[in-house]
């Protein structure tokens, strides 16, 4: 049974794959994050990942089950076939991936779709499309997690994207705990982070900060 999309799922959005936690068990990392209270998990295993296709699927099955038990949406990055095979709650695609219209048709009524948008033009095109649940916008700040990251958007750029977008926006890229209130102040629904959680000395405190920043006042 897949979870329906809710904007509150974007408040503390954890993105991770084996390449982000070298020498650690991704199952343990994700379970710690789930226990800490993350509101969404994106399985993004790529780049320097050493996993075979079969290993990536097997690990995905384990992570999918953990998320299901926690009632937290399990989202697959980029790979529509993997998302369908794992019966993911959602799939997240970038501007360079399969055309988002094809993705929407492929997964119709089976899962929700998130789309990366870093410019006003991209957001305006996304506004014309039926079937996009949320936008991932960034990088807000310089990031080390992605070699081919788009130019930095900044808080002012993020605010413009949020105002323009017709669906909720989650901020991504180079975000630190200290910047969470400023991101929330732009109207973004939450933050999507990799290293802020994988390198956190206290994941529970970091997730709590993410949730606190987006509390509705």
């Amino acid at each position: 049974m897949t979870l329906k999309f809710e904007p509150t799922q974007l408040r503390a959005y954890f993105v991770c794959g084996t390449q982000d936690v070298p020498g650690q068990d991704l199952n343990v990392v994700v379970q710690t994050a789930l226990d800490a209270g993350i509101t969404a998990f994106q399985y993004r295993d790529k780049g320097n990942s050493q996993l075979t296709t079969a290993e990536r699927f097997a690990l995905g099955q384990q992570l999918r089950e953990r998320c299901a038990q926690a009632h937290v949406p399990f989202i697959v990055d980029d790979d529509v076939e993997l998302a369908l095979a794992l019966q993911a709650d959602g799939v997240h695609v970038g501007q360079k991936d399969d055309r988002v219209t094809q993705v929407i048709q492929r997964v119709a009524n089976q899962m929700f779709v998130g789309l990366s948008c870093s410019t006003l033009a991209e957001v305006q095109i996304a506004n014309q499309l039926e079937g996009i649940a949320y936008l991932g916008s960034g990088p807000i700040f310089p990031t080390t997690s992605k070699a081919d990251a788009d130019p930095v958007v900044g808080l002012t750029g993020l605010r413009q994207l949020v105002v323009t977008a017709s669906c909720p926006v989650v901020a991504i890229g180079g975000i630190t705990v200290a910047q969470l209130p400023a991101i929330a102040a732009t109207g973004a629904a939450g933050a999507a982070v990799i290293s802020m959680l994988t390198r956190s000395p206290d994941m529970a405190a970091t997730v709590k900060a993410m949730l606190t920043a987006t509390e509705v006042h």
Side-chain angles (χ1 to χ4, degrees):
M1 187 60 198
T2 53
L3 293 170
K4 290 274 177 272
F5 174 75
E6 303 282 347
T8 52
Q9 291 161 350
L10 302 175
R11 293 174 65 197
Y13 188 145
F14 183 35
V15 180
C16 198
T18 55
Q19 72 282 350
D20 300 309
V21 287
Q24 297 182 67
D25 181 345
L26 186 59
N27 263 304
V28 174
V29 174
V30 172
Q31 189 61 56
T32 304
L34 289 166
D35 292 342
I38 58 166
T39 55
F41 172 67
Q42 184 188 121
Y43 185 38
R44 181 181 175 275
D45 197 78
K46 61 200 305 190
N48 295 326
S49 170
Q50 304 295 312
L51 298 188
T52 63
T53 303
E55 288 169 338
R56 185 170 291 124
F57 177 74
L59 177 57
Q61 283 183 305
Q62 295 170 327
L63 297 171
R64 171 80 186 93
E65 182 57 33
R66 290 179 186 277
C67 289
Q69 288 176 351
H71 302 290
V72 166
F74 175 80
I75 300 159
V76 172
D77 176 67
D78 258 6
D79 191 330
V80 177
E81 297 311 317
L82 180 62
L84 287 165
L86 292 172
Q87 297 182 308
D89 298 298
V91 63
H92 187 94
V93 292
Q95 293 286 330
K96 301 183 189 76
D97 305 325
D98 293 350
R99 279 192 59 85
V100 70
T101 45
Q102 292 168 344
V103 172
I104 292 167
Q105 288 167 347
R106 184 88 176 77
V107 305
N109 305 319
Q110 295 179 71
M111 65 188 72
F112 59 79
V113 178
L115 175 67
S116 296
C117 289
S118 58
T119 68
L120 283 174
E122 287 170 358
V123 170
Q124 283 159 347
I125 292 167
N127 285 347
Q128 308 302 314
L129 300 175
E130 288 284 322
I132 294 175
Y134 72 91
L135 302 181
S137 292
I140 310 306
F141 305 106
T143 176
T144 55
S145 298
K146 209 172 168 194
D148 60 344
D150 290 306
V152 170
V153 172
L155 289 168
T156 307
L158 175 61
R159 185 176 285 107
Q160 287 180 313
L161 298 180
V162 169
V163 169
T164 306
S166 57
C167 59
V169 172
V170 64
I172 191 164
I175 296 166
T176 64
V177 171
Q179 293 152 343
L180 289 170
I183 283 169
T186 66
V193 301
I194 301 176
S195 53
M196 191 173 104
L197 284 176
T198 59
R199 297 180 191 166
S200 170
D202 184 348
M203 213 184 262
T206 303
V207 173
K208 186 164 189 252
M210 295 175 81
L211 295 171
T212 301
T214 52
E215 277 172 1
V216 179
H217 298 296

